[in-house]
Amino acid sequence: KQEVTQIPAALSVPEGENLVLNCSFTDSAIYNLQWFRQDPGKGLTSLLLIQSSQREQTSGRLNASLDKSSGRSTLYIAASQPGDSATYLCAVVTMGRRALTFGSGTRLQVQP
Amino acid sequence: SQTIHQWPATLVQPVGSPLSLECTVEGTSNPNLYWYRQAAGRGLQLLFYSVGIGQISSEVPQNLSASRPQDRQFILSSKKLLLSDSGFYLCAWNGKGLNNQPQHFGDGTRLSIL
């Protein structure tokens, strides 16, 4: 059974810092990995999707990497801003399944 | 562009009452549709998914059910709600493909059971 773990559970940084969020998964047979952002009481906003054949994806100040063989992904946020404050969720689609398996998230607070 | 709508946004129901949550997708056809639940202090858990009209797969046994009466409509129901059904319910969709399409989520329904 796939399990997804995110470390740290919570993170507080001053504005302008570069930061890394970590995600690990136990079954490396995945189709893809997706990073989401969730604001309090809101739905999920898709940030980046990395296919199993890819190593990284970039969108603006966000860069996500994938090391499928070791079961790890990182989300790098450059020059963090207070508006980046949210919970970041990592999720994978495991081969043989259609739906996402989620980690429990990292709650990020960027202090102005 | 594609959009996904969920309603209601919030709902307060007594134990034992019925439930109907609706999700519709616009701007695409023949999507895969999903219902997830996010309970307090827990991660997102898949409840149901559907690859087509009338086709429903259940991930966990529970007193909830799902139906897909139309291509872009997905309904989550219960005949009698339990306290444990409280949570944040999210609908999602993605396109057909080799399981490599990103999932897009609605704004969710917050359900409180009294």
Side-chain angles (χ1 to χ4, degrees), chain A residues 31-32 34 36 38 41-44 46 49 51 89 93 97-100 102, chain B residues 34 36 38 44 46 49 51 59 88 90 99-100 102-103 105-107 110:
Chain A
Y31 290 113
N32 60 59
Q34 205 166 346
F36 295 89
Q38 186 176 28
K42 301 293 185 181
L44 275 61
S46 180
L49 172 77
Q51 303 293 352
L89 294 162
V93 178
R97 289 174 52 88
R98 291 185 180 275
L100 290 161
F102 282 86
Chain B
Y34 308 83
Y36 291 88
Q38 190 173 37
L44 275 146
L46 176 72
Y49 70 88
V51 300
E59 281 288 307
F88 191 44
L90 288 159
N99 286 321
N100 60 356
Q103 291 191 24
F105 285 75
D107 289 334
R110 186 158 304 281

PDB file of all heavy atoms in Angstrom, chain A residues 31-32 34 36 38 41-44 46 49 51 89 93 97-100 102, chain B residues 34 36 38 44 46 49 51 59 88 90 99-100 102-103 105-107 110:
ATOM      1  N   TYR A  31       2.817   6.725 -11.689  1.00  0.00           N
ATOM      2  CA  TYR A  31       2.616   7.375 -12.986  1.00  0.00           C
ATOM      3  C   TYR A  31       3.101   8.819 -12.930  1.00  0.00           C
ATOM      4  O   TYR A  31       3.703   9.328 -13.866  1.00  0.00           O
ATOM      5  CB  TYR A  31       1.134   7.380 -13.367  1.00  0.00           C
ATOM      6  CG  TYR A  31       0.574   6.031 -13.722  1.00  0.00           C
ATOM      7  CD1 TYR A  31      -0.376   5.434 -12.910  1.00  0.00           C
ATOM      8  CD2 TYR A  31       0.979   5.360 -14.870  1.00  0.00           C
ATOM      9  CE1 TYR A  31      -0.915   4.202 -13.233  1.00  0.00           C
ATOM     10  CE2 TYR A  31       0.448   4.123 -15.197  1.00  0.00           C
ATOM     11  CZ  TYR A  31      -0.494   3.548 -14.370  1.00  0.00           C
ATOM     12  OH  TYR A  31      -1.023   2.329 -14.690  1.00  0.00           O
ATOM     13  N   ASN A  32       2.766   9.493 -11.846  1.00  0.00           N
ATOM     14  CA  ASN A  32       3.157  10.887 -11.717  1.00  0.00           C
ATOM     15  C   ASN A  32       3.080  11.326 -10.264  1.00  0.00           C
ATOM     16  O   ASN A  32       2.564  10.601  -9.393  1.00  0.00           O
ATOM     17  CB  ASN A  32       2.282  11.797 -12.597  1.00  0.00           C
ATOM     18  CG  ASN A  32       0.805  11.721 -12.250  1.00  0.00           C
ATOM     19  OD1 ASN A  32       0.409  12.006 -11.112  1.00  0.00           O
ATOM     20  ND2 ASN A  32      -0.034  11.378 -13.209  1.00  0.00           N
ATOM     21  N   GLN A  34       2.190  14.987  -8.014  1.00  0.00           N
ATOM     22  CA  GLN A  34       1.614  16.320  -8.146  1.00  0.00           C
ATOM     23  C   GLN A  34       1.783  17.075  -6.823  1.00  0.00           C
ATOM     24  O   GLN A  34       1.558  16.510  -5.742  1.00  0.00           O
ATOM     25  CB  GLN A  34       0.117  16.186  -8.504  1.00  0.00           C
ATOM     26  CG  GLN A  34      -0.479  17.340  -9.236  1.00  0.00           C
ATOM     27  CD  GLN A  34      -1.857  17.032  -9.857  1.00  0.00           C
ATOM     28  OE1 GLN A  34      -2.283  15.882  -9.978  1.00  0.00           O
ATOM     29  NE2 GLN A  34      -2.560  18.079 -10.243  1.00  0.00           N
ATOM     30  N   PHE A  36       0.361  20.367  -4.653  1.00  0.00           N
ATOM     31  CA  PHE A  36      -0.798  21.235  -4.541  1.00  0.00           C
ATOM     32  C   PHE A  36      -0.563  22.259  -3.445  1.00  0.00           C
ATOM     33  O   PHE A  36       0.212  22.040  -2.509  1.00  0.00           O
ATOM     34  CB  PHE A  36      -2.054  20.444  -4.157  1.00  0.00           C
ATOM     35  CG  PHE A  36      -2.525  19.456  -5.177  1.00  0.00           C
ATOM     36  CD1 PHE A  36      -2.047  18.160  -5.167  1.00  0.00           C
ATOM     37  CD2 PHE A  36      -3.448  19.819  -6.142  1.00  0.00           C
ATOM     38  CE1 PHE A  36      -2.484  17.227  -6.092  1.00  0.00           C
ATOM     39  CE2 PHE A  36      -3.903  18.896  -7.068  1.00  0.00           C
ATOM     40  CZ  PHE A  36      -3.409  17.605  -7.046  1.00  0.00           C
ATOM     41  N   GLN A  38      -2.986  24.449  -0.632  1.00  0.00           N
ATOM     42  CA  GLN A  38      -4.314  24.582  -0.057  1.00  0.00           C
ATOM     43  C   GLN A  38      -4.328  25.729   0.933  1.00  0.00           C
ATOM     44  O   GLN A  38      -3.619  25.705   1.935  1.00  0.00           O
ATOM     45  CB  GLN A  38      -4.760  23.290   0.638  1.00  0.00           C
ATOM     46  CG  GLN A  38      -6.200  23.344   1.128  1.00  0.00           C
ATOM     47  CD  GLN A  38      -6.681  22.047   1.740  1.00  0.00           C
ATOM     48  OE1 GLN A  38      -5.889  21.280   2.282  1.00  0.00           O
ATOM     49  NE2 GLN A  38      -7.990  21.776   1.662  1.00  0.00           N
ATOM     50  N   GLY A  41      -9.462  26.453   4.568  1.00  0.00           N
ATOM     51  CA  GLY A  41     -10.870  26.347   4.216  1.00  0.00           C
ATOM     52  C   GLY A  41     -11.160  26.301   2.741  1.00  0.00           C
ATOM     53  O   GLY A  41     -12.320  26.390   2.333  1.00  0.00           O
ATOM     54  N   LYS A  42     -10.131  26.160   1.918  1.00  0.00           N
ATOM     55  CA  LYS A  42     -10.315  26.187   0.471  1.00  0.00           C
ATOM     56  C   LYS A  42      -9.976  24.854  -0.162  1.00  0.00           C
ATOM     57  O   LYS A  42      -9.454  23.949   0.477  1.00  0.00           O
ATOM     58  CB  LYS A  42      -9.408  27.274  -0.138  1.00  0.00           C
ATOM     59  CG  LYS A  42      -9.658  28.674   0.391  1.00  0.00           C
ATOM     60  CD  LYS A  42     -11.021  29.185  -0.020  1.00  0.00           C
ATOM     61  CE  LYS A  42     -11.223  30.623   0.404  1.00  0.00           C
ATOM     62  NZ  LYS A  42     -12.562  31.126   0.023  1.00  0.00           N
ATOM     63  N   GLY A  43     -10.252  24.757  -1.447  1.00  0.00           N
ATOM     64  CA  GLY A  43      -9.883  23.570  -2.198  1.00  0.00           C
ATOM     65  C   GLY A  43      -8.404  23.553  -2.528  1.00  0.00           C
ATOM     66  O   GLY A  43      -7.632  24.367  -2.021  1.00  0.00           O
ATOM     67  N   LEU A  44      -8.026  22.631  -3.388  1.00  0.00           N
ATOM     68  CA  LEU A  44      -6.626  22.460  -3.755  1.00  0.00           C
ATOM     69  C   LEU A  44      -6.328  23.134  -5.095  1.00  0.00           C
ATOM     70  O   LEU A  44      -7.109  22.995  -6.039  1.00  0.00           O
ATOM     71  CB  LEU A  44      -6.286  20.976  -3.869  1.00  0.00           C
ATOM     72  CG  LEU A  44      -5.896  20.243  -2.592  1.00  0.00           C
ATOM     73  CD1 LEU A  44      -7.013  20.258  -1.578  1.00  0.00           C
ATOM     74  CD2 LEU A  44      -5.500  18.821  -2.927  1.00  0.00           C
ATOM     75  N   SER A  46      -3.572  23.107  -8.063  1.00  0.00           N
ATOM     76  CA  SER A  46      -2.449  22.347  -8.597  1.00  0.00           C
ATOM     77  C   SER A  46      -1.295  23.292  -8.915  1.00  0.00           C
ATOM     78  O   SER A  46      -1.468  24.317  -9.576  1.00  0.00           O
ATOM     79  CB  SER A  46      -2.870  21.602  -9.863  1.00  0.00           C
ATOM     80  OG  SER A  46      -1.793  20.874 -10.394  1.00  0.00           O
ATOM     81  N   LEU A  49       3.018  19.253 -11.868  1.00  0.00           N
ATOM     82  CA  LEU A  49       2.864  17.817 -12.105  1.00  0.00           C
ATOM     83  C   LEU A  49       4.145  17.303 -12.711  1.00  0.00           C
ATOM     84  O   LEU A  49       4.636  17.876 -13.699  1.00  0.00           O
ATOM     85  CB  LEU A  49       1.698  17.550 -13.049  1.00  0.00           C
ATOM     86  CG  LEU A  49       1.544  16.113 -13.535  1.00  0.00           C
ATOM     87  CD1 LEU A  49       0.942  15.259 -12.435  1.00  0.00           C
ATOM     88  CD2 LEU A  49       0.701  16.045 -14.791  1.00  0.00           C
ATOM     89  N   GLN A  51       5.761  13.918 -14.392  1.00  0.00           N
ATOM     90  CA  GLN A  51       5.518  12.559 -14.864  1.00  0.00           C
ATOM     91  C   GLN A  51       6.647  11.661 -14.372  1.00  0.00           C
ATOM     92  O   GLN A  51       7.748  12.131 -14.069  1.00  0.00           O
ATOM     93  CB  GLN A  51       5.456  12.538 -16.397  1.00  0.00           C
ATOM     94  CG  GLN A  51       4.422  13.461 -16.998  1.00  0.00           C
ATOM     95  CD  GLN A  51       2.997  13.048 -16.686  1.00  0.00           C
ATOM     96  OE1 GLN A  51       2.752  11.974 -16.126  1.00  0.00           O
ATOM     97  NE2 GLN A  51       2.038  13.889 -17.045  1.00  0.00           N
ATOM     98  N   LEU A  89       0.700  20.249  -0.335  1.00  0.00           N
ATOM     99  CA  LEU A  89       0.424  18.819  -0.351  1.00  0.00           C
ATOM    100  C   LEU A  89       1.107  18.155  -1.538  1.00  0.00           C
ATOM    101  O   LEU A  89       1.096  18.686  -2.648  1.00  0.00           O
ATOM    102  CB  LEU A  89      -1.087  18.570  -0.442  1.00  0.00           C
ATOM    103  CG  LEU A  89      -1.910  19.023   0.770  1.00  0.00           C
ATOM    104  CD1 LEU A  89      -3.373  19.144   0.403  1.00  0.00           C
ATOM    105  CD2 LEU A  89      -1.747  18.054   1.915  1.00  0.00           C
ATOM    106  N   VAL A  93       0.124   9.196  -8.079  1.00  0.00           N
ATOM    107  CA  VAL A  93      -0.771   8.196  -8.663  1.00  0.00           C
ATOM    108  C   VAL A  93       0.061   6.941  -8.839  1.00  0.00           C
ATOM    109  O   VAL A  93       1.028   6.926  -9.605  1.00  0.00           O
ATOM    110  CB  VAL A  93      -1.353   8.643 -10.007  1.00  0.00           C
ATOM    111  CG1 VAL A  93      -2.245   7.530 -10.587  1.00  0.00           C
ATOM    112  CG2 VAL A  93      -2.168   9.912  -9.837  1.00  0.00           C
ATOM    113  N   ARG A  97      -3.633   2.083 -10.047  1.00  0.00           N
ATOM    114  CA  ARG A  97      -4.676   2.896  -9.452  1.00  0.00           C
ATOM    115  C   ARG A  97      -4.908   4.142 -10.300  1.00  0.00           C
ATOM    116  O   ARG A  97      -4.086   4.504 -11.124  1.00  0.00           O
ATOM    117  CB  ARG A  97      -4.271   3.326  -8.043  1.00  0.00           C
ATOM    118  CG  ARG A  97      -4.263   2.210  -7.026  1.00  0.00           C
ATOM    119  CD  ARG A  97      -3.713   2.699  -5.710  1.00  0.00           C
ATOM    120  NE  ARG A  97      -4.385   3.902  -5.243  1.00  0.00           N
ATOM    121  CZ  ARG A  97      -5.486   3.879  -4.492  1.00  0.00           C
ATOM    122  NH1 ARG A  97      -6.036   2.742  -4.157  1.00  0.00           N
ATOM    123  NH2 ARG A  97      -6.027   5.013  -4.081  1.00  0.00           N
ATOM    124  N   ARG A  98      -6.046   4.759 -10.078  1.00  0.00           N
ATOM    125  CA  ARG A  98      -6.352   5.979 -10.810  1.00  0.00           C
ATOM    126  C   ARG A  98      -6.246   7.219  -9.944  1.00  0.00           C
ATOM    127  O   ARG A  98      -5.998   8.316 -10.441  1.00  0.00           O
ATOM    128  CB  ARG A  98      -7.769   5.908 -11.383  1.00  0.00           C
ATOM    129  CG  ARG A  98      -7.923   4.888 -12.486  1.00  0.00           C
ATOM    130  CD  ARG A  98      -9.314   4.966 -13.079  1.00  0.00           C
ATOM    131  NE  ARG A  98      -9.470   3.980 -14.135  1.00  0.00           N
ATOM    132  CZ  ARG A  98      -9.095   4.210 -15.395  1.00  0.00           C
ATOM    133  NH1 ARG A  98      -8.577   5.363 -15.730  1.00  0.00           N
ATOM    134  NH2 ARG A  98      -9.246   3.265 -16.309  1.00  0.00           N
ATOM    135  N   ALA A  99      -6.484   7.059  -8.652  1.00  0.00           N
ATOM    136  CA  ALA A  99      -6.611   8.238  -7.794  1.00  0.00           C
ATOM    137  C   ALA A  99      -5.297   8.577  -7.112  1.00  0.00           C
ATOM    138  O   ALA A  99      -4.339   7.807  -7.113  1.00  0.00           O
ATOM    139  CB  ALA A  99      -7.696   7.998  -6.763  1.00  0.00           C
ATOM    140  N   LEU A 100      -5.263   9.753  -6.529  1.00  0.00           N
ATOM    141  CA  LEU A 100      -4.087  10.260  -5.843  1.00  0.00           C
ATOM    142  C   LEU A 100      -4.019   9.722  -4.416  1.00  0.00           C
ATOM    143  O   LEU A 100      -5.042   9.595  -3.747  1.00  0.00           O
ATOM    144  CB  LEU A 100      -4.143  11.789  -5.782  1.00  0.00           C
ATOM    145  CG  LEU A 100      -3.948  12.516  -7.109  1.00  0.00           C
ATOM    146  CD1 LEU A 100      -4.469  13.942  -7.007  1.00  0.00           C
ATOM    147  CD2 LEU A 100      -2.481  12.543  -7.506  1.00  0.00           C
ATOM    148  N   PHE A 102      -2.299  11.001  -0.999  1.00  0.00           N
ATOM    149  CA  PHE A 102      -1.772  12.262  -0.495  1.00  0.00           C
ATOM    150  C   PHE A 102      -0.904  12.087   0.732  1.00  0.00           C
ATOM    151  O   PHE A 102      -1.118  11.180   1.557  1.00  0.00           O
ATOM    152  CB  PHE A 102      -2.936  13.194  -0.101  1.00  0.00           C
ATOM    153  CG  PHE A 102      -3.609  13.866  -1.251  1.00  0.00           C
ATOM    154  CD1 PHE A 102      -4.634  13.237  -1.930  1.00  0.00           C
ATOM    155  CD2 PHE A 102      -3.220  15.138  -1.648  1.00  0.00           C
ATOM    156  CE1 PHE A 102      -5.261  13.857  -3.008  1.00  0.00           C
ATOM    157  CE2 PHE A 102      -3.850  15.763  -2.716  1.00  0.00           C
ATOM    158  CZ  PHE A 102      -4.864  15.122  -3.392  1.00  0.00           C
TER     159      PHE A 102
ATOM    160  N   TYR B  34     -13.803  12.315  -9.237  1.00  0.00           N
ATOM    161  CA  TYR B  34     -13.367  11.776  -7.953  1.00  0.00           C
ATOM    162  C   TYR B  34     -14.059  12.515  -6.809  1.00  0.00           C
ATOM    163  O   TYR B  34     -14.291  13.719  -6.879  1.00  0.00           O
ATOM    164  CB  TYR B  34     -11.855  11.954  -7.761  1.00  0.00           C
ATOM    165  CG  TYR B  34     -11.004  11.434  -8.892  1.00  0.00           C
ATOM    166  CD1 TYR B  34     -10.770  12.212 -10.028  1.00  0.00           C
ATOM    167  CD2 TYR B  34     -10.412  10.172  -8.824  1.00  0.00           C
ATOM    168  CE1 TYR B  34      -9.985  11.739 -11.069  1.00  0.00           C
ATOM    169  CE2 TYR B  34      -9.622   9.695  -9.860  1.00  0.00           C
ATOM    170  CZ  TYR B  34      -9.413  10.476 -10.978  1.00  0.00           C
ATOM    171  OH  TYR B  34      -8.627  10.002 -12.007  1.00  0.00           O
ATOM    172  N   TYR B  36     -13.132  13.064  -2.744  1.00  0.00           N
ATOM    173  CA  TYR B  36     -12.188  12.883  -1.653  1.00  0.00           C
ATOM    174  C   TYR B  36     -12.796  13.492  -0.391  1.00  0.00           C
ATOM    175  O   TYR B  36     -13.620  14.401  -0.449  1.00  0.00           O
ATOM    176  CB  TYR B  36     -10.867  13.609  -1.924  1.00  0.00           C
ATOM    177  CG  TYR B  36     -10.026  13.049  -3.035  1.00  0.00           C
ATOM    178  CD1 TYR B  36     -10.208  13.460  -4.353  1.00  0.00           C
ATOM    179  CD2 TYR B  36      -9.009  12.136  -2.777  1.00  0.00           C
ATOM    180  CE1 TYR B  36      -9.418  12.966  -5.373  1.00  0.00           C
ATOM    181  CE2 TYR B  36      -8.204  11.640  -3.794  1.00  0.00           C
ATOM    182  CZ  TYR B  36      -8.416  12.060  -5.094  1.00  0.00           C
ATOM    183  OH  TYR B  36      -7.631  11.574  -6.099  1.00  0.00           O
ATOM    184  N   GLN B  38     -11.510  15.133   3.440  1.00  0.00           N
ATOM    185  CA  GLN B  38     -10.426  15.588   4.313  1.00  0.00           C
ATOM    186  C   GLN B  38     -11.032  15.771   5.694  1.00  0.00           C
ATOM    187  O   GLN B  38     -11.732  16.748   5.959  1.00  0.00           O
ATOM    188  CB  GLN B  38      -9.850  16.902   3.787  1.00  0.00           C
ATOM    189  CG  GLN B  38      -8.583  17.354   4.461  1.00  0.00           C
ATOM    190  CD  GLN B  38      -7.997  18.575   3.768  1.00  0.00           C
ATOM    191  OE1 GLN B  38      -8.725  19.457   3.297  1.00  0.00           O
ATOM    192  NE2 GLN B  38      -6.673  18.644   3.673  1.00  0.00           N
ATOM    193  N   LEU B  44      -6.096  13.769   2.989  1.00  0.00           N
ATOM    194  CA  LEU B  44      -7.147  13.550   2.004  1.00  0.00           C
ATOM    195  C   LEU B  44      -7.271  12.070   1.676  1.00  0.00           C
ATOM    196  O   LEU B  44      -6.276  11.400   1.404  1.00  0.00           O
ATOM    197  CB  LEU B  44      -6.825  14.299   0.725  1.00  0.00           C
ATOM    198  CG  LEU B  44      -7.256  15.758   0.722  1.00  0.00           C
ATOM    199  CD1 LEU B  44      -6.285  16.600  -0.068  1.00  0.00           C
ATOM    200  CD2 LEU B  44      -8.648  15.849   0.145  1.00  0.00           C
ATOM    201  N   LEU B  46      -9.407   9.193  -0.704  1.00  0.00           N
ATOM    202  CA  LEU B  46     -10.315   8.959  -1.814  1.00  0.00           C
ATOM    203  C   LEU B  46     -11.529   8.175  -1.340  1.00  0.00           C
ATOM    204  O   LEU B  46     -11.410   7.181  -0.628  1.00  0.00           O
ATOM    205  CB  LEU B  46      -9.612   8.182  -2.916  1.00  0.00           C
ATOM    206  CG  LEU B  46     -10.495   7.778  -4.100  1.00  0.00           C
ATOM    207  CD1 LEU B  46     -10.830   9.025  -4.933  1.00  0.00           C
ATOM    208  CD2 LEU B  46      -9.817   6.719  -4.957  1.00  0.00           C
ATOM    209  N   TYR B  49     -14.458   7.040  -7.285  1.00  0.00           N
ATOM    210  CA  TYR B  49     -14.090   7.627  -8.559  1.00  0.00           C
ATOM    211  C   TYR B  49     -14.957   7.018  -9.641  1.00  0.00           C
ATOM    212  O   TYR B  49     -15.529   5.929  -9.466  1.00  0.00           O
ATOM    213  CB  TYR B  49     -12.600   7.473  -8.873  1.00  0.00           C
ATOM    214  CG  TYR B  49     -12.122   6.082  -9.189  1.00  0.00           C
ATOM    215  CD1 TYR B  49     -12.151   5.587 -10.492  1.00  0.00           C
ATOM    216  CD2 TYR B  49     -11.590   5.282  -8.187  1.00  0.00           C
ATOM    217  CE1 TYR B  49     -11.680   4.323 -10.785  1.00  0.00           C
ATOM    218  CE2 TYR B  49     -11.120   4.002  -8.469  1.00  0.00           C
ATOM    219  CZ  TYR B  49     -11.167   3.537  -9.767  1.00  0.00           C
ATOM    220  OH  TYR B  49     -10.699   2.293 -10.053  1.00  0.00           O
ATOM    221  N   VAL B  51     -15.175   6.637 -14.083  1.00  0.00           N
ATOM    222  CA  VAL B  51     -14.574   6.826 -15.406  1.00  0.00           C
ATOM    223  C   VAL B  51     -15.632   7.079 -16.476  1.00  0.00           C
ATOM    224  O   VAL B  51     -15.276   7.356 -17.628  1.00  0.00           O
ATOM    225  CB  VAL B  51     -13.682   5.638 -15.796  1.00  0.00           C
ATOM    226  CG1 VAL B  51     -12.554   5.479 -14.782  1.00  0.00           C
ATOM    227  CG2 VAL B  51     -14.498   4.348 -15.891  1.00  0.00           C
ATOM    228  N   GLU B  59     -13.624   3.197  -2.785  1.00  0.00           N
ATOM    229  CA  GLU B  59     -12.339   2.887  -2.190  1.00  0.00           C
ATOM    230  C   GLU B  59     -12.466   2.378  -0.762  1.00  0.00           C
ATOM    231  O   GLU B  59     -11.666   1.569  -0.327  1.00  0.00           O
ATOM    232  CB  GLU B  59     -11.442   4.137  -2.189  1.00  0.00           C
ATOM    233  CG  GLU B  59     -10.806   4.429  -3.511  1.00  0.00           C
ATOM    234  CD  GLU B  59      -9.697   3.437  -3.857  1.00  0.00           C
ATOM    235  OE1 GLU B  59      -8.789   3.245  -3.055  1.00  0.00           O
ATOM    236  OE2 GLU B  59      -9.772   2.831  -4.951  1.00  0.00           O
ATOM    237  N   PHE B  88     -14.395  17.814   5.168  1.00  0.00           N
ATOM    238  CA  PHE B  88     -14.326  18.688   3.998  1.00  0.00           C
ATOM    239  C   PHE B  88     -14.298  17.786   2.770  1.00  0.00           C
ATOM    240  O   PHE B  88     -13.396  16.967   2.600  1.00  0.00           O
ATOM    241  CB  PHE B  88     -13.045  19.533   4.105  1.00  0.00           C
ATOM    242  CG  PHE B  88     -12.955  20.668   3.127  1.00  0.00           C
ATOM    243  CD1 PHE B  88     -14.038  21.493   2.879  1.00  0.00           C
ATOM    244  CD2 PHE B  88     -11.760  20.928   2.457  1.00  0.00           C
ATOM    245  CE1 PHE B  88     -13.955  22.557   1.996  1.00  0.00           C
ATOM    246  CE2 PHE B  88     -11.668  21.994   1.564  1.00  0.00           C
ATOM    247  CZ  PHE B  88     -12.758  22.807   1.337  1.00  0.00           C
ATOM    248  N   LEU B  90     -14.157  17.108  -1.200  1.00  0.00           N
ATOM    249  CA  LEU B  90     -13.607  17.716  -2.409  1.00  0.00           C
ATOM    250  C   LEU B  90     -13.883  16.846  -3.614  1.00  0.00           C
ATOM    251  O   LEU B  90     -13.677  15.631  -3.588  1.00  0.00           O
ATOM    252  CB  LEU B  90     -12.098  17.904  -2.259  1.00  0.00           C
ATOM    253  CG  LEU B  90     -11.669  19.016  -1.294  1.00  0.00           C
ATOM    254  CD1 LEU B  90     -10.247  18.785  -0.820  1.00  0.00           C
ATOM    255  CD2 LEU B  90     -11.779  20.368  -1.974  1.00  0.00           C
ATOM    256  N   ASN B  99      -3.203   7.599 -17.222  1.00  0.00           N
ATOM    257  CA  ASN B  99      -3.111   7.922 -15.800  1.00  0.00           C
ATOM    258  C   ASN B  99      -2.077   9.013 -15.543  1.00  0.00           C
ATOM    259  O   ASN B  99      -1.490   9.069 -14.470  1.00  0.00           O
ATOM    260  CB  ASN B  99      -2.769   6.691 -14.967  1.00  0.00           C
ATOM    261  CG  ASN B  99      -3.949   5.759 -14.843  1.00  0.00           C
ATOM    262  OD1 ASN B  99      -5.077   6.192 -14.703  1.00  0.00           O
ATOM    263  ND2 ASN B  99      -3.698   4.476 -14.922  1.00  0.00           N
ATOM    264  N   ASN B 100      -1.815   9.865 -16.538  1.00  0.00           N
ATOM    265  CA  ASN B 100      -0.797  10.878 -16.347  1.00  0.00           C
ATOM    266  C   ASN B 100      -1.354  12.288 -16.386  1.00  0.00           C
ATOM    267  O   ASN B 100      -0.593  13.248 -16.487  1.00  0.00           O
ATOM    268  CB  ASN B 100       0.292  10.723 -17.408  1.00  0.00           C
ATOM    269  CG  ASN B 100      -0.258  10.879 -18.824  1.00  0.00           C
ATOM    270  OD1 ASN B 100      -1.456  11.029 -19.006  1.00  0.00           O
ATOM    271  ND2 ASN B 100       0.602  10.837 -19.809  1.00  0.00           N
ATOM    272  N   PRO B 102      -3.102  15.624 -14.813  1.00  0.00           N
ATOM    273  CA  PRO B 102      -3.227  16.234 -13.489  1.00  0.00           C
ATOM    274  C   PRO B 102      -4.688  16.272 -13.037  1.00  0.00           C
ATOM    275  O   PRO B 102      -5.591  16.368 -13.858  1.00  0.00           O
ATOM    276  CB  PRO B 102      -2.678  17.644 -13.702  1.00  0.00           C
ATOM    277  CG  PRO B 102      -2.858  17.914 -15.157  1.00  0.00           C
ATOM    278  CD  PRO B 102      -2.674  16.589 -15.848  1.00  0.00           C
ATOM    279  N   GLN B 103      -4.889  16.197 -11.735  1.00  0.00           N
ATOM    280  CA  GLN B 103      -6.228  16.326 -11.185  1.00  0.00           C
ATOM    281  C   GLN B 103      -6.461  17.767 -10.759  1.00  0.00           C
ATOM    282  O   GLN B 103      -5.569  18.426 -10.218  1.00  0.00           O
ATOM    283  CB  GLN B 103      -6.417  15.377  -9.995  1.00  0.00           C
ATOM    284  CG  GLN B 103      -6.447  13.918 -10.422  1.00  0.00           C
ATOM    285  CD  GLN B 103      -6.879  12.982  -9.325  1.00  0.00           C
ATOM    286  OE1 GLN B 103      -7.565  13.367  -8.377  1.00  0.00           O
ATOM    287  NE2 GLN B 103      -6.485  11.709  -9.453  1.00  0.00           N
ATOM    288  N   PHE B 105      -9.175  20.348  -8.666  1.00  0.00           N
ATOM    289  CA  PHE B 105     -10.118  20.244  -7.570  1.00  0.00           C
ATOM    290  C   PHE B 105     -11.092  21.415  -7.522  1.00  0.00           C
ATOM    291  O   PHE B 105     -10.755  22.527  -7.904  1.00  0.00           O
ATOM    292  CB  PHE B 105      -9.356  20.172  -6.239  1.00  0.00           C
ATOM    293  CG  PHE B 105      -8.724  18.841  -5.989  1.00  0.00           C
ATOM    294  CD1 PHE B 105      -7.583  18.450  -6.658  1.00  0.00           C
ATOM    295  CD2 PHE B 105      -9.291  17.954  -5.077  1.00  0.00           C
ATOM    296  CE1 PHE B 105      -7.006  17.209  -6.437  1.00  0.00           C
ATOM    297  CE2 PHE B 105      -8.731  16.714  -4.845  1.00  0.00           C
ATOM    298  CZ  PHE B 105      -7.577  16.340  -5.533  1.00  0.00           C
ATOM    299  N   GLY B 106     -12.287  21.128  -6.999  1.00  0.00           N
ATOM    300  CA  GLY B 106     -13.252  22.169  -6.712  1.00  0.00           C
ATOM    301  C   GLY B 106     -12.934  22.843  -5.390  1.00  0.00           C
ATOM    302  O   GLY B 106     -11.934  22.518  -4.730  1.00  0.00           O
ATOM    303  N   ASP B 107     -13.798  23.787  -4.984  1.00  0.00           N
ATOM    304  CA  ASP B 107     -13.570  24.546  -3.762  1.00  0.00           C
ATOM    305  C   ASP B 107     -14.027  23.820  -2.508  1.00  0.00           C
ATOM    306  O   ASP B 107     -13.795  24.295  -1.407  1.00  0.00           O
ATOM    307  CB  ASP B 107     -14.281  25.899  -3.844  1.00  0.00           C
ATOM    308  CG  ASP B 107     -13.603  26.836  -4.826  1.00  0.00           C
ATOM    309  OD1 ASP B 107     -12.381  26.677  -5.056  1.00  0.00           O
ATOM    310  OD2 ASP B 107     -14.282  27.725  -5.369  1.00  0.00           O
ATOM    311  N   ARG B 110     -17.852  22.009   3.099  1.00  0.00           N
ATOM    312  CA  ARG B 110     -17.557  21.707   4.508  1.00  0.00           C
ATOM    313  C   ARG B 110     -18.838  21.206   5.149  1.00  0.00           C
ATOM    314  O   ARG B 110     -19.816  21.953   5.247  1.00  0.00           O
ATOM    315  CB  ARG B 110     -17.043  22.942   5.237  1.00  0.00           C
ATOM    316  CG  ARG B 110     -16.596  22.631   6.667  1.00  0.00           C
ATOM    317  CD  ARG B 110     -15.630  23.659   7.226  1.00  0.00           C
ATOM    318  NE  ARG B 110     -14.456  23.836   6.407  1.00  0.00           N
ATOM    319  CZ  ARG B 110     -13.412  23.031   6.394  1.00  0.00           C
ATOM    320  NH1 ARG B 110     -13.404  21.952   7.152  1.00  0.00           N
ATOM    321  NH2 ARG B 110     -12.371  23.309   5.634  1.00  0.00           N
TER     322      ARG B 110
END
